[in-house]
Amino acid sequence: MKRKEVILLAVFFLAVAALARASQIYDDNANARQAIESAIREASASHKNVVLDFGANWCLDCYVLDEQMHQGKLGEIIKKDYVVAHISVGTYDRNLDLAKQYGVPLHKGIPALAVLDSHGKLLYAQTKGQFENARVVQPGSFLSFFKKWAPKP
């Protein structure tokens, strides 16, 4: 790698680290079980589905997915049809039991999602690391995924 490329890469990772410190998506100190229970209660009351978003604050792709989930048509669908619970996996040392419980193999990468119905029943779990490279996933793929798992009228 050329010196210029190395410097640009270093600046990029420093910017990502600064962003992560400024606005953390995942609360490493949260009680994830309580967060899931709360999300299910809210989803039940509002007839929405629940998205369990397993990820970490050091994960660039987790930030890319989160950003996509707040933009345009996808943002509208998320707001209308889902309650999102961000579950921190730390440095793969937190909430591993919950990922296993919901069928999410973290060794395939993060972010990794599980979708529950409004009563907490598992509808779908990403088992192949589908969004682990969210930075190169086409926005339409995110949209298709969330449309597919939205609650049925």
Side-chain angles (χ1 to χ4, degrees):
M1 211 181 285
K2 295 178 183 174
R3 179 176 164 85
K4 185 177 181 180
E5 291 170 332
V6 170
I7 291 170
L8 285 174
L9 194 57
V11 168
F12 172 74
F13 283 112
L14 288 172
V16 169
L19 174 65
R21 284 192 302 277
S23 61
Q24 295 192 342
I25 300 169
Y26 305 91
D27 183 350
D28 289 334
N29 299 312
N31 181 321
R33 287 192 187 281
Q34 285 179 353
I36 293 169
E37 290 170 10
S38 176
I40 292 169
R41 278 193 305 276
E42 182 181 340
S44 181
S46 58
H47 308 291
K48 296 180 179 184
N49 283 348
V50 175
V51 174
L52 303 181
D53 174 8
F54 291 90
N57 291 316
W58 52 262
C59 168
L60 174 62
D61 292 294
C62 297
Y63 280 87
V64 170
L65 174 60
D66 188 69
E67 180 67 24
Q68 288 292 319
M69 289 170 62
H70 288 90
Q71 292 184 8
K73 182 71 174 162
L74 179 56
E76 293 170 19
I77 289 171
I78 297 293
K79 188 174 184 177
K80 179 173 102 27
D81 293 328
Y82 293 96
V83 176
V84 180
H86 297 284
I87 310 299
S88 174
V89 300
T91 53
Y92 292 104
D93 61 352
R94 287 184 169 81
N95 300 310
L96 306 183
D97 58 330
L98 286 174
K100 185 176 182 180
Q101 176 182 336
Y102 288 103
V104 177
L106 295 176
H107 69 278
K108 297 287 187 171
I110 55 174
L113 307 180
V115 180
L116 314 178
D117 71 10
S118 61
H119 304 291
K121 178 184 172 198
L122 180 66
L123 299 175
Y124 176 81
Q126 289 185 323
T127 58
K128 298 178 181 163
Q130 289 91 324
F131 291 161
E132 70 146 340
N133 287 317
R135 68 197 111 145
V136 297
V137 173
Q138 294 297 315
S141 296
F142 295 126
L143 186 60
S144 295
F145 175 85
F146 285 101
K147 279 183 175 180
K148 179 177 182 176
W149 295 107
K152 306 298 180 228

